[in-house]
Amino acid sequence: MPPSSPNPQDRGEAHIRDRVPDRVRERGDACPGALRLHRADDGALARLRIPTGVLTPRQVRVLADASDRLGDGHLSLTSRGNVELRGLGEGCGLQLADALREAGLLPSERHERVRNMVVSPLAGAQVRAWAARLDELLCAEDWTTELSGRFLFAVDDGRGDVAALAPDVTLLAEAAGTALVRIGQAAYRVSSADAPRAALAAADAFLAAAREAGTGAWRVRELPAGQDVDVAEHLRRAAIAAEYVADAALPVGAPPAPGVVGDRSVCVLARLGRVTTAQFRALLPAREVRVTPWRGFVLPDFADRVAAEQRLRALDEAGFITRSDSPWAEVSACTGRPGCAKSLSDVRADARPREGALPVHWSGCARRCGHPQGAWIDMVATAEGAYQVTVQGSTK
């Protein structure tokens, strides 16, 4: 379980240079995982994929205990709904792997970095079952280990929340009980029963296209312009009946707002995407904890609205963002100093809300790790405590 690189580079999961089309990658993917640790200035970093977005109470306690024993007593949430442990000491990789394995968080050591999936956090049983089955299929195939640690699946319940996160393969639930599987601009309608296998077939089609292109592409958007991804042929080979859907528009949905959602669920955000282990444990008791790609948590299935509001008040006291009108709800930041050697400032100490309608992202350098989707106010450090302010992204 060696660190991924001796050079401290905390690239995050939304790196602006990953958007360059037609690039040629000449090295393998060094994306960190739970077993391949990454060396940062504040110690090693482990990134844990949570494909269904769901943690059991026992898993919450195991992660908190691991951070206390082996790390810095905090957990970081990423823009893909992953959980990171930082400040890990030398030689703790085996202890961490054993703890994760015993908690059911490491079903396949060979596949742990390719289990990249975001799931609508308010989704019902069917969509969540799709995600669980897709994860099983990913772990069951040898060829899926060829996927990059950055290749992303989205399982969307039809509201368009995670479909908006620029995934490589999207499963989108339809009102008729069918599903759309989408890769690039191509979309195919399949039966609900075939949805997970269809998503896997689409990923296989991408790998075939990437091999043909010879550019080492990690993601669909990195394929050369005009490169064909023959999803139809791969669906046929998998014996999946599919209907091509021309001009399939994706719904545009917003993530759940902090607060009580639908009377029986609670949504909270972690300030700057980071929580102490005490805050993490404060999410319990709960039947399950759903980790969101908006650096927060959803707790479902309260008895009624009164019970949900009581828990929300307790989480507010624990330091979570519990209101959509909180000035911190639209503020994010990269790791900054002292964790990242590239950073020019202690970004998390400097970060604060700013007036305006756009989200604000504070970055320690021009790489802008972890920046939001869409348009945002871009705060990039130029020196200790000094920032250049621009607007990045598109407001369309």
Side-chain angles (χ1 to χ4, degrees):
M1 280 163 277
S4 59
S5 169
N7 300 317
Q9 294 185 12
D10 190 345
R11 294 175 62 88
E13 292 191 282
H15 193 284
I16 197 165
R17 286 183 295 182
D18 285 345
R19 297 177 179 273
V20 178
D22 298 350
R23 70 182 304 166
V24 176
R25 293 195 180 272
E26 298 178 349
R27 62 177 177 82
D29 173 24
C31 195
L35 301 179
R36 179 187 287 183
L37 306 186
H38 167 77
R39 287 178 183 159
D41 270 17
D42 58 349
L45 175 154
R47 180 176 296 160
L48 176 64
R49 273 73 174 177
I50 307 173
T52 63
V54 174
L55 292 172
T56 66
R58 178 169 177 256
Q59 290 169 341
V60 169
R61 289 189 288 267
V62 166
L63 288 176
D65 291 346
S67 182
D68 282 338
R69 287 188 299 108
L70 306 173
D72 63 3
H74 293 75
L75 296 108
S76 298
L77 309 180
T78 77
S79 57
R80 291 183 166 198
N82 297 332
V83 175
E84 292 181 347
L85 285 76
R86 299 190 65 100
L88 298 169
E90 291 289 335
C92 74
L94 287 175
Q95 296 179 65
L96 178 60
D98 286 344
L100 297 178
R101 191 179 299 109
E102 291 173 6
L105 290 167
L106 199 60
S108 171
E109 295 185 5
R110 295 181 59 235
H111 297 83
E112 63 97 6
R113 291 193 312 130
V114 303
R115 300 169 68 221
N116 287 309
M117 197 184 308
V118 287
V119 184
S120 296
L122 299 176
Q126 174 181 265
V127 170
R128 307 202 74 80
W130 286 352
R133 180 56 180 156
L134 176 55
D135 184 40
E136 291 175 354
L137 293 171
L138 280 170
C139 292
E141 297 288 346
D142 289 334
W143 63 263
T144 55
T145 59
E146 298 176 37
L147 292 170
S148 159
R150 301 175 190 271
F151 191 89
L152 181 63
F153 294 90
V155 184
D156 194 297
D157 66 358
R159 73 188 70 216
D161 52 359
V162 295
L165 299 179
D168 296 283
V169 173
T170 303
L171 271 186
L172 185 71
E174 295 187 299
T178 53
L180 285 183
V181 57
R182 186 182 180 109
I183 181 169
Q185 298 302 310
Y188 295 83
R189 180 170 289 116
V190 299
S191 72
S192 174
D194 286 333
R197 290 198 305 123
L200 195 73
D204 196 12
F206 160 75
L207 284 177
R211 286 191 291 268
E212 182 178 342
T215 58
W218 294 344
R219 305 200 61 190
V220 172
R221 66 188 181 213
E222 293 179 0
L223 291 172
Q227 175 67 50
D228 181 45
V229 181
D230 196 351
V231 180
E233 173 60 18
H234 283 74
L235 290 170
R236 186 191 64 78
R237 291 179 189 173
I240 297 172
E243 171 195 357
Y244 177 72
V245 181
D247 302 322
L250 285 174
V252 179
V260 176
V261 183
D263 289 340
R264 297 187 58 194
S265 296
V266 165
C267 176
V268 296
L269 301 177
R271 181 163 160 168
L272 300 181
R274 193 157 165 83
V275 295
T276 65
T277 53
Q279 287 177 307
F280 200 49
R281 292 186 181 97
L283 295 167
L284 302 178
R287 183 178 65 82
E288 63 184 29
V289 173
R290 299 180 183 178
V291 185
T292 80
W294 303 283
R295 298 181 173 92
F297 303 97
V298 166
L299 306 181
D301 300 332
F302 286 90
D304 51 36
R305 187 175 185 89
V306 172
E309 288 176 343
Q310 288 176 342
R311 175 55 68 84
L312 189 69
R313 287 192 291 271
L315 293 175
D316 183 75
E317 293 173 0
F320 287 97
I321 298 170
T322 59
R323 305 187 330 271
S324 58
D325 61 354
S326 166
W328 287 96
E330 295 288 347
V331 182
S332 58
C334 72
T335 296
R337 289 182 178 173
C340 177
K342 296 287 187 181
S343 181
L344 300 178
S345 190
D346 186 347
V347 173
R348 292 182 182 275
D350 298 338
R352 62 188 184 278
R354 289 177 59 93
E355 293 185 0
L358 294 178
V360 184
H361 185 70
W362 295 73
S363 302
C365 71
R367 296 181 306 158
R368 298 174 172 86
C369 294
H371 68 75
Q373 298 284 333
W376 75 94
I377 298 174
D378 190 43
M379 308 289 297
V380 176
T382 56
E384 186 68 52
Y387 289 82
Q388 180 181 9
V389 185
T390 59
V391 174
Q392 294 285 337
S394 172
T395 57
K396 295 182 180 180

